[in-house]
Amino acid sequence: MKKDRVVTGTFIAIVYVAVFLLAMYVHPIFFDVFIFAIALGGVYEMCRAVSNVMSAPIFLIDLIQVVVGFAAFWFAQYFFKTNASGMTAYFIVLAGTVIATLIITACSKTYVKGNAVSTIFVMLYPSAILMFSVAINYFMTAEIGISVMSALPQRNAGIALMFLVPAFTDVFAYQIGSAIKGKKLCPSISPNKTISGAIGGLLGGIVGAGVVLLLTYFAVTYNVNIFGLGMLTDGWTSTIINFLALGLFGSVFDQAGDLVASFVKRRSGIKDFSNLLPGHGGVLDRVDGFMFCGVFFYMYFAVMLIL
């Protein structure tokens, strides 16, 4: 079991690094495809999990929503080229699919309202939540000029944060929690998590954001291409404050996402969402915190664009 976990963990790390480098140096679409694949696998796993405690979701509708929703996002982003165009198109499709689901279940002799509720739940979690991560890939690529909030990281910094903040959060939470132990964080949901581990995770999130900040600093200061990182900046004080906030609250959202997933699994009576990744569970077991982190980063960057 331990050997499987190490082998699978190594494979996952290689995939993450490969996607990151391809997105940085080749084309941003590689990150989009990565999230799209996660969404497909995640919807399948969530449909199975929810079926244990609710009327089964209508998998075909959830699958169509993912495919059409992502297609609408890319179409709108390509043609309109604004930070909000892709997300607007996606949520229009989501609203239309929700309405269609309600109509189908209301007129069907096979499905009941419980099927509609579970189907819509899967549309929101994980599908809609994952969409925020994709949207981060399009910040600062639109024609918005250089008058944007000075401390806002460019798209590449956002993607780097997406990978490093959750990774450092998980590593620090596990290592510090295992070493110190102590009082449980939320034993009714996740009996293995401790308060010390949660605090360690917050520290890890800050460290992860700090790594991106240092890489960005060297990229800007010495005009070198480090993962394509760069920053529009008036001064490093505001930049440091922003990165500390991104690391700290990104870690909070990452850990919250982990707890939400644990709650869903506990209610569904399962240990893992699937056994696709030996020793690590399923797709959702690996990205439960990652996707919540993406929601926070998107909201943070969106607010920064307004200020």
Side-chain angles (χ1 to χ4, degrees), residues 235-302:
W236 284 101
T237 300
S238 60
T239 300
I240 291 172
I241 292 173
N242 277 285
F243 269 89
L244 286 175
L246 287 164
L248 178 63
F249 291 104
S251 178
V252 171
F253 274 74
D254 178 76
Q255 296 186 61
D258 195 3
L259 287 174
V260 170
S262 296
F263 175 77
V264 172
K265 287 187 288 186
R266 183 168 286 271
R267 287 296 301 270
S268 301
I270 57 176
K271 182 179 182 296
D272 297 313
F273 282 108
S274 76
N275 57 1
L276 177 65
L277 304 170
H280 287 261
V283 172
L284 288 178
D285 292 293
R286 290 297 87 212
V287 300
D288 48 10
F290 173 93
M291 59 186 183
F292 273 72
C293 204
V295 174
F296 168 70
F297 288 151
Y298 177 86
M299 295 298 183
Y300 193 96
F301 294 161

Side-chain angles (χ1 to χ4, degrees), residues 224-242:
V224 294
N225 181 14
I226 303 177
F227 305 143
L229 294 174
M231 181 170 294
L232 304 172
T233 179
D234 295 327
W236 284 101
T237 300
S238 60
T239 300
I240 291 172
I241 292 173
N242 277 285

Side-chain angles (χ1 to χ4, degrees), residues 32-218:
D32 293 4
V33 172
F34 173 68
I35 300 297
F36 179 65
I38 288 174
L40 292 176
V43 163
Y44 172 72
E45 291 178 350
M46 188 58 71
C47 282
R48 291 182 59 200
V50 170
S51 297
N52 293 337
V53 289
M54 299 174 65
S55 299
I58 307 173
F59 175 68
L60 182 59
I61 293 179
D62 283 321
L63 182 63
I64 291 173
Q65 189 274 323
V66 171
V67 174
V68 177
F70 271 69
F73 177 95
W74 288 316
F75 179 86
Q77 201 66 53
Y78 179 79
F79 282 99
F80 298 106
K81 294 182 174 62
T82 66
N83 285 305
S85 56
M87 289 298 283
T88 301
Y90 175 83
F91 278 102
I92 289 173
V93 171
L94 177 63
T97 314
V98 168
I99 293 171
T101 301
L102 295 173
I103 293 173
I104 290 171
T105 53
C107 299
S108 174
K109 296 181 179 179
T110 304
Y111 300 115
V112 297
K113 63 180 180 180
N115 297 110
V117 172
S118 60
T119 302
I120 293 170
F121 174 78
V122 176
M123 289 181 200
L124 299 176
Y125 179 63
S127 181
I129 294 176
L130 280 166
M131 206 67 230
F132 288 93
S133 299
V134 177
I136 292 173
N137 208 12
Y138 293 88
F139 271 108
M140 300 299 288
T141 59
E143 297 176 2
I144 53 179
I146 60 172
S147 61
V148 178
M149 173 66 179
S150 61
L152 179 66
Q154 290 190 16
R155 176 196 65 83
N156 286 3
I159 300 303
L161 287 166
M162 276 293 301
F163 279 103
L164 292 183
V165 170
F168 275 83
T169 294
D170 293 345
V171 170
F172 273 61
Y174 177 77
Q175 295 296 336
I176 293 177
S178 299
I180 299 178
K181 295 183 173 59
K183 190 174 180 180
K184 300 296 183 181
L185 177 66
C186 195
S188 61
I189 296 177
S190 184
N192 294 326
K193 288 181 172 55
T194 61
I195 293 178
S196 63
I199 295 173
L202 297 178
L203 176 61
I206 293 173
V207 171
V211 171
V212 180
L213 174 61
L214 288 175
L215 291 174
T216 303
Y217 171 79
F218 283 109

